[in-house]
């Protein structure tokens, strides 16, 4: 009977354990995890920071659920895999033998290289321990500076504002999340942040974080300004946790390279989730995601393959429903291009595929804070972004994901005065009817 070992207790690791257990009821299943809080919702940390949900609500599973899966939990860090002897070495020196191994070690914040980043009061947001640390500091802090981009930087800004901390937000360029949002969307978000009392600083780079008695006292910008603060948060993107794979001679690029069966270059070893770089059939490239849904799907595929059910992972169009400055925002498919000066690579709740936009024309409609932007390709919708009103979210998601031929409405969509919502609604209703009809025996 094969011995299964999973490194990482996030959604990829847990989904893999569930799949293995479905196929192999009696197998020995061990899970190694170095997060003292185990399995919980990382996207939920934003709501924990603002105080909208208590800690208990972060946990999708309780101890009993884990017991039902028959997982033997090992708290600790895996530091090396001996791929020849098929053994994992833990930091405390113990060895765990495996026949099939999954590496699902996730990602962590890209380290800040700003001088002074080692001072007490410089924070990041990767895990529950970090969120609690931010909350502890926020209790005493009067002023904070947040540096970076993407969803996590904004979540920290909003968490701090909700806790009554006066917050400065530094952007290196002239707008927020410039390679995913367009100018109008960025302006909507920035306007709302300003209304909430956030002090935005455009074209601002940090020269140094300075301190007093080992604690943050303020930041100096490259253009010579000095801002006093008690807390500095840095969210400049993430890095897959590759150390273990690199040390063990497993092939990596930006993430651990896997084929469509989630197999790495080492026999019997699989990878899934934020740490894996997976093949994307839509773009023909091998990409990174930092999204809960894909992490679970990849974990499931890995678990199936590990337990003998050959199952390819078919990457779907990446999408995320998130909240930016209190506005629900859905991002689907490819919506942007280029580099964002506030981020090194991708951020949390992000996908590399969102910014691989080939030639496409944007059709857009907006009213106040409700906005719909469609990226119209030659025959299909390549992506979409919905802000505020989410009525069309599911319809648009299906049209993008299923690469539905929109030739019949393409010219209408591109008319600048087009009632986009109406055109899409009517088209979707018709497509759905034909689609369901075509699927009936
Ligand atoms: C603040 C924040 C906001 C987010 N917002 C969104 C969002 O809006 N939408 C969305 O879809 N996604 C969001 N995400 C991303 C989402 O949470 C991740 O994509 C998902 O958790 C990835 O799952 P994973 O299992 O690959 O890795 P993780 O959830 O990171 O889990 C990895 C696990 O491996 C453990 N580990 C790592 N190395 C070792 C080792 N050597 N030994 C033992 N254990 C190890 C870690 O402790 C951790 O438990 C957000 C994440 C954060 C932190």
């Amino acid at each position: 009977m094969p011995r299964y070992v999973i490194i990482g207790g996030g959604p990829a690791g847990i989904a893999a354990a569930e799949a293995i257990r479905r196929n192999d009821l009696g197998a020995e299943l061990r899970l190694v995890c170095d997060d003292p809080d185990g399995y919980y919702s990382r996207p939920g940390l934003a709501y924990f920071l603002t105080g909208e949900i208590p800690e208990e609500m972060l946990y999708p599973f309780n101890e009993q659920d884990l017991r039902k899966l028959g997982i033997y939990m090992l708290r600790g860090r895996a530091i090396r895999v001996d791929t020849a002897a098929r053994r994992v070495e833990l930091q405390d020196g113990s060895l765990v033998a495996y026949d099939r191994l999954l590496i699902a070690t996730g990602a962590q914040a890209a380290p800040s290289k700003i001088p002074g980043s080692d001072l007490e009061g410089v924070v990041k947001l990767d895990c529950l321990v970090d969120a609690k640390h931010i909350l502890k500091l926020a209790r005493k802090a009067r002023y904070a500076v947040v540096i970076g981009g993407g969803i996590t930087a904004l979540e920290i800004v909003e968490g701090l504002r909700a806790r009554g901390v006066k917050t400065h937000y530094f952007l290196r360029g002239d707008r927020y999340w410039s390679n995913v949002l367009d100018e109008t969307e960025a302006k909507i978000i920035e306007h709302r942040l300003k209304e909430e009392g956030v002090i935005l600083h455009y074209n601002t780079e940090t020269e140094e974080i300075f301190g007093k008695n080992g604690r943050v006292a303020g930041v100096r910008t490259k253009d010579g300004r000095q801002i006093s603060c008690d807390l500095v948060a840095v969210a400049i993107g993430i890095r897959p946790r590759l150390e273990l794979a690199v040390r063990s001679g497993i092939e990596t690029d930006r993430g651990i390279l896997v084929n469509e069966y989630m197999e790495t270059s080492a026999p019997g070893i699989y990878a899934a989730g934020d740490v894996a770089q997976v093949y994307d059939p839509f773009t023909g490239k091998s990409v990174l995601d930092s999204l809960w849904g894909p992490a679970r799907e990849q974990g499931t595929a890995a678990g199936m393959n590990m337990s003998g059910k050959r199952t390819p992972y078919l990457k779907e169009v990446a999408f995320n429903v998130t909240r930016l400055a209190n506005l629900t925002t859905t991002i689907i498919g490819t919506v942007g291009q280029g580099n964002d000066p506030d981020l090194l690579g991708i951020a949390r709740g992000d996908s590399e595929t969102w910014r691989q936009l080939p030639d496409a024309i944007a059709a857009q409609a907006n009213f106040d804070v409700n906005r719909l932007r469609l990226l119209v390709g030659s025959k299909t919708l390549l992506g979409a972004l919905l802000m505020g009103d989410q009525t069309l979210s599911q319809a648009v998601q299906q049209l993008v994901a299923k690469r539905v031929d929109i030739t019949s409405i393409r010219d209408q969509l591109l008319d600048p005065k087009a009632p986009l919502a109406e055109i899409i609604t009517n088209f979707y209703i018709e497509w759905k009817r034909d689609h369901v009809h075509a699927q009936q025996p």
Side-chain angles (χ1 to χ4, degrees), residues 148-157 169 171 176-180 235-237 323-324 340 342-343 346-350 355:
I151 295 176
T152 313
L154 213 59
E155 286 174 346
I156 301 174
V157 167
Y169 182 21
L171 291 170
Y176 170 67
W177 215 6
S178 59
N179 59 359
V180 170
I236 51 173
R323 200 176 64 171
L324 303 174
D340 179 342
D342 292 308
L343 288 170
I346 63 168
R348 297 285 192 184
D350 190 352
R355 49 188 73 83

Side-chain angles (χ1 to χ4, degrees), residues 44-109:
L45 294 177
Y47 305 90
F48 176 64
L49 271 187
T50 56
E52 288 163 274
I53 59 168
E55 183 178 342
E56 307 81 78
M57 276 185 72
L58 292 172
Y59 295 91
F61 261 41
N62 57 32
E63 287 289 319
Q64 221 180 348
D65 295 321
L66 281 179
R67 265 201 300 276
K68 260 192 233 155
L69 280 176
I71 295 176
Y72 185 73
M73 258 294 198
L74 292 163
R75 299 270 180 210
R77 177 166 299 168
I79 55 164
R80 201 185 323 274
V81 183
D82 182 338
T83 54
R86 297 205 172 203
R87 275 194 314 231
V88 180
E89 184 185 340
L90 305 192
Q91 204 163 30
D92 65 7
S94 53
L95 297 171
V96 186
Y98 68 86
D99 295 299
R100 316 255 159 81
L101 173 72
L102 174 67
I103 303 180
T105 46
Q108 61 192 3

